[in-house]
Amino acid sequence: MKFVDSVEVEIIAGKGGDGALSFRHEKYVDKGGPDGGDGGDGGDVIFEADTNLNTLLHFRYKQALQAENGEKGGKRRRHGKAGQPLVVKVPVGTVVTDIRTHRELADITTEGQQITVAKGGKGGFGNAHFVSSTRQAPRIAELGEKGRTYQVRLELKLLADVGLIGLPNAGKSTFLSVVSHATPEIADYPFTTLTPQLGVAEVDGFDMLVADIPGLIEGAAEGKGLGDAFLRHIERTAVLLHLIDIYSNDVAKDYQAIVHELHRYSPSLTARPQIIALTKCEGLESDLILLQKQALEKVLPKGTLCFAISSQSGQGIKEVLRSLKTYVQKARIVEPAVEAETDAVPTIELSKAKQNDTWHVRKEADKFIVTGEKIERFAARTDFRNTHSLQRLRDIMRKTGILHELRRAGAENNSIIQIGEAGDHRLSFSENK
């Protein structure tokens, strides 16, 4: 299967159903009262982690993920059916980011974890909702709200305990194949590994998930070679195992080249615990191995462990695995399991306790623009074709002081009032008097 670890898709939550405008019309019932039911809420878009998936390939053929709309309200106070949520299965380790704002909407790290990424719109109230002692026959019904829509980037970051890093052909794939049951492609030329490989290494009854990241080269953080596409996969690892070919002409330079690329991609990666291993040491004299270790240790941070290993003969493999185990155990203790989130995106409720009542008025060219969370929500739910609904919106604007502020700003009878930046809702000021 082709490995795909970054895709862009559109996610669209369901629109809320419109409220019904209806009056009872039954035989022998004189002057039947309002009985329009509320619209159903739109469906949410929910992302769910699934360990059976290990690639984002299937999203390449789904450019839009859309939840079901809520149904309209009906007569006799019938409530519209709520839209079915869309549950989207993604691999564990998927990060969802809003492309426009670069805000992280979800980080899915646990099997079965569900996160609501886009909330469905609320259903509109039917006219039965607006009955009061002073309003016996309301001719008002709200429109359903639009669901949240995002253009998002899905990125898969492997969840591994150990990340294998190093220049191409440093022996990472061979090491992984020896310490686990993974079967990566192995050959004596650079960039044999074109996709990240995972394997489970066991030492003294302790299991560790090891990720072989495709070889990095100088400039990887800027897109050269393959590194920029796969550096994200080592961001979650507890410890990095840096493999360096002992036959290199300058082992210190090789080490510094990789560390430099890690720092350019994310400075936090250079603070990650590292273990160094000189590879392909089978058959080499101890004096030559010692010379290379001494050259390398001159540039290593103080206290960094450095081993000489051979994946072919098994030399030093156990010692490296036991050292890795120590770091992984510490990380698992320090970072307790995070409880699965259920709602990643804060929702906007209509209740006064949760909704922002602030608003602003400004003049722009030939119109006046009114912005504010609450008034924009009311405008979105207003049926501008219904004079009674428009009157309700005018009353709200009058009670909140918006009309007064518009007059102070210079609005006159024929002035155009735009509610919200998008310009979807406009009315003339004369209608608001």
Side-chain angles (χ1 to χ4, degrees):
M1 177 183 290
K2 184 178 179 181
F3 185 87
V4 176
D5 64 351
S6 180
V7 294
E8 294 182 3
V9 295
E10 182 179 24
I11 55 176
I12 307 166
K15 177 186 177 298
D18 297 341
L21 179 58
S22 171
F23 293 87
R24 291 176 62 191
H25 294 288
E26 298 179 25
K27 195 175 182 179
Y28 308 119
V29 177
D30 186 33
K31 296 181 180 180
D35 67 348
D38 300 341
D41 293 343
D44 301 335
V45 177
I46 301 170
F47 279 53
E48 180 180 322
D50 186 348
T51 52
N52 293 318
L53 298 175
N54 54 20
T55 175
L56 298 171
L57 178 63
H58 55 294
F59 290 103
R60 283 285 176 92
Y61 312 106
K62 293 182 179 180
Q63 297 303 308
L65 306 171
Q66 184 167 3
E68 191 174 80
N69 295 333
E71 294 184 357
K72 296 180 179 180
K75 298 179 179 180
R76 300 181 183 177
R77 298 179 181 260
R78 286 199 298 268
H79 198 291
K81 182 181 177 182
Q84 287 294 317
L86 176 66
V87 179
V88 182
K89 299 292 185 77
V90 294
V92 175
T94 298
V95 177
V96 185
T97 306
D98 184 344
I99 294 175
R100 184 179 63 84
T101 64
H102 305 291
R103 182 167 66 97
E104 185 178 291
L105 300 179
D107 187 359
I108 303 167
T109 59
T110 308
E111 163 64 10
Q113 180 182 11
Q114 287 192 339
I115 296 183
T116 300
V117 177
K119 291 290 293 181
K122 292 289 185 181
F125 292 131
N127 66 331
H129 177 88
F130 296 101
V131 175
S132 68
S133 58
T134 58
R135 187 164 47 190
Q136 297 295 314
R139 296 183 176 275
I140 302 168
E142 290 185 328
L143 302 178
E145 293 180 331
K146 293 180 179 179
R148 293 295 184 91
T149 299
Y150 297 100
Q151 289 285 343
V152 301
R153 178 178 295 106
L154 306 183
E155 292 182 300
L156 178 58
K157 296 182 180 180
L158 297 178
L159 292 170
D161 297 308
V162 180
L164 301 183
I165 59 173
L167 292 172
N169 218 22
K172 299 187 300 298
S173 297
T174 304
F175 177 86
L176 182 64
S177 68
V178 169
V179 301
S180 73
H181 294 296
T183 56
E185 184 179 353
I186 300 170
D188 190 23
Y189 55 85
F191 300 123
T192 306
T193 303
L194 300 180
T195 64
Q197 303 287 328
L198 285 175
V200 178
E202 186 271 334
V203 60
D204 302 330
F206 183 81
D207 290 341
M208 297 177 289
L209 188 60
V210 182
D212 171 19
I213 308 302
L216 307 179
I217 63 172
E218 188 174 354
E222 293 179 335
K224 293 183 179 179
L226 303 172
D228 68 315
F230 301 113
L231 276 166
R232 71 173 68 93
H233 295 301
I234 61 177
E235 289 186 279
R236 301 181 189 271
T237 54
V239 57
L240 301 177
L241 178 58
H242 191 158
L243 302 185
I244 301 173
D245 190 339
I246 198 167
Y247 288 98
S248 169
N249 293 326
D250 193 336
V251 290
K253 184 179 178 181
D254 288 356
Y255 167 79
Q256 290 174 320
I258 296 299
V259 170
H260 180 64
E261 293 308 318
L262 294 180
H263 186 269
R264 293 180 68 187
Y265 179 78
S266 175
S268 64
L269 289 179
T270 56
R272 195 70 45 85
Q274 280 194 39
I275 293 175
I276 313 301
L278 289 165
T279 63
K280 308 176 184 178
C281 294
E282 64 273 7
L284 287 183
E285 294 182 2
S286 58
D287 289 348
L288 178 57
I289 294 175
L290 181 60
L291 283 174
Q292 290 288 58
K293 286 186 70 173
Q294 289 174 339
L296 185 56
E297 287 170 348
K298 290 179 182 179
V299 296
L300 293 180
K302 187 177 180 180
T304 303
L305 298 176
C306 182
F307 296 89
I309 69 170
S310 168
S311 297
Q312 297 290 351
S313 68
Q315 173 187 339
I317 298 296
K318 279 284 187 184
E319 290 76 10
V320 168
L321 290 178
R322 284 172 177 152
S323 296
L324 292 171
K325 170 189 171 184
T326 300
Y327 283 110
V328 173
Q329 285 178 320
K330 288 180 180 178
R332 290 180 182 177
I333 293 172
V334 173
E335 300 178 6
V338 179
E339 290 186 10
E341 301 175 63
T342 58
D343 194 346
V345 182
T347 59
I348 304 173
E349 301 293 342
L350 284 179
S351 64
K352 292 182 179 179
K354 293 186 178 181
Q355 193 160 1
N356 188 348
D357 288 350
T358 60
W359 47 264
H360 301 278
V361 171
R362 75 175 190 272
K363 189 176 189 302
E364 187 175 289
D366 59 345
K367 63 187 176 184
F368 293 82
I369 299 177
V370 179
T371 58
E373 186 177 295
K374 189 171 183 177
I375 189 62
E376 289 182 42
R377 291 288 298 271
F378 274 120
R381 297 165 72 98
T382 298
D383 183 355
F384 278 65
R385 300 164 299 179
N386 183 317
T387 56
H388 300 280
S389 295
L390 279 174
Q391 183 58 51
R392 175 177 176 247
L393 181 60
R394 292 197 292 269
D395 291 342
I396 291 169
M397 294 175 70
R398 182 177 295 108
K399 290 176 182 177
T400 55
I402 294 175
L403 292 187
H404 178 69
E405 183 61 26
L406 283 167
R407 292 190 186 96
R408 287 186 56 191
E412 299 177 349
N413 285 354
N414 295 323
S415 297
I416 299 300
I417 310 303
Q418 174 180 311
I419 302 177
E421 298 288 358
D424 293 335
H425 309 294
R426 294 189 179 197
L427 61 162
S428 66
F429 185 70
S430 58
E431 292 176 328
N432 292 297
K433 294 188 70 175

